[in-house]
Amino acid sequence: FSPLLLAVCCGTGSQLLITAVMTMLLSVIGVLSPANRGSLLTSLLFFYALNGSVAGYVTARFYKTFKGEGWQKATACTAFGFPGFAFSL
């Protein structure tokens, strides 16, 4: 069991969750329409990039909670971990 891996997964999960909630909220309000096909993907990418700082903060706090040293490495793993894995697929 690695505290680094758990912190990275929690940070990435928070980023994905907030991105999904924000996009769904805009869809429910009516700002994002299915008729305008590119707006949904554009908003997803925008919110994902916007919530990168949230993911870094959550990762750093979780890693420090587990007495991890070098929270900078944890945030770098968050920044490159999930996007690198998704891009490699």
Side-chain angles (χ1 to χ4, degrees):
F1 174 70
S2 170
L4 176 66
L5 184 61
L6 179 63
V8 168
C9 288
C10 288
T12 302
S14 67
Q15 181 181 13
L16 292 174
L17 179 69
I18 293 172
T19 298
V21 167
M22 291 174 80
T23 304
M24 283 191 250
L25 188 66
L26 284 179
S27 296
V28 167
I29 292 172
V31 176
L32 296 175
S33 170
N36 193 0
R37 294 170 28 152
S39 65
L40 182 63
L41 184 59
T42 302
S43 66
L44 275 171
L45 290 173
F46 176 73
F47 289 139
Y48 183 79
L50 189 69
N51 289 318
S53 59
V54 173
Y57 177 76
V58 170
T59 299
R61 293 306 305 165
F62 266 91
Y63 195 57
K64 283 184 174 184
T65 300
F66 296 127
K67 306 288 189 267
E69 297 176 3
W71 58 269
Q72 295 90 351
K73 183 174 82 170
T75 56
C77 288
T78 302
F80 297 115
F82 180 73
F85 177 72
F87 185 72
S88 68
L89 292 179

